[in-house]
Amino acid sequence: MKEATYPIVTFLLFHELCLLLGLSVEYVTYLSTILTLLLCYSDKIRFFLLSKTISGDLLKVIDLSYANLRALQKIKLKTTQKLRVYVSLSGLLFPTVLGLMLGIYVIYRLPQYFIIYFLLFSFLTIAYNRFSIMVFEKGILVSLASSIITTVMLVLAVGTHYSLDSSTLFMLTYSVSALATLTGVDLLNLRYVTFFKTKSIIVGGYGVRDAIFLIPAISSITTRIVYSLITLLSYT
């Protein structure tokens, strides 16, 4: 059941994007289905980005026990390692490029909201970073529920205050959320890589199951649905 949610979210995202492009309804379903299948099956496509030597502090506990005396001491060691960074097509490149394109479009069309865009991005970056944690052999984990709820409530407040239309709010939500996830969850947590002595990392490695794909997708879809309902109820 859980695995079925990922293609459903992907389909709904493409469905909304196709409607934004002004495509006729009869083609939206077919095109969304094809794009969903292509993106879901491209989970394993990864590209080498860079190889970099990084250094950092490694905390280690040393047993200094002697005879009947027990003593443990925590020391800090300087470590240096060569790290290879890969990026996922569906888990990083797609949401990042889409987020940038939607952000540029929104700012170009509504330049007066640039400060609002920047503030939303900054706040969500900090929030997502607080919701994330580095776990050994699993990578970076983040609370999807907390991230999505925070995003939806924040953007709904902005949209209601400035009376934005649902399409603009959808694009705004996806853009700030995608870029904030990349920055707050992935980039700001890279400094902890030295603690796990890994030789390579894959940014967005979970594909359509990765936070950088799911958080902006679910947040933008939810925001549009809720905001449309709020707007509809306000006119009745």
Side-chain angles (χ1 to χ4, degrees), residues 142-190:
V142 60
S143 172
L144 291 179
S146 300
S147 302
I148 293 169
I149 292 173
T150 301
T151 305
V152 172
M153 293 182 64
L154 184 63
V155 179
L156 281 176
V158 171
T160 304
H161 179 75
Y162 291 101
S163 300
L164 299 176
D165 61 272
S166 60
S167 297
T168 300
L169 210 60
F170 171 84
M171 293 185 287
L172 177 65
T173 305
Y174 190 94
S175 180
V176 295
S177 183
L179 299 180
T181 306
L182 172 63
T183 307
V185 177
D186 290 319
L187 298 183
L188 292 182
N189 282 312
L190 285 180

Side-chain angles (χ1 to χ4, degrees), residues 119-134:
L119 291 176
L120 284 173
F121 166 75
S122 301
F123 180 85
L124 291 178
T125 297
I126 297 172
Y128 294 165
N129 183 255
R130 294 295 183 183
F131 296 148
S132 63
I133 185 173
M134 196 84 169

Side-chain angles (χ1 to χ4, degrees), residues 64-75:
L64 300 177
S65 303
Y66 178 75
N68 294 326
L69 299 176
R70 299 289 297 173
L72 297 176
Q73 183 174 347
K74 184 183 293 185
I75 63 173

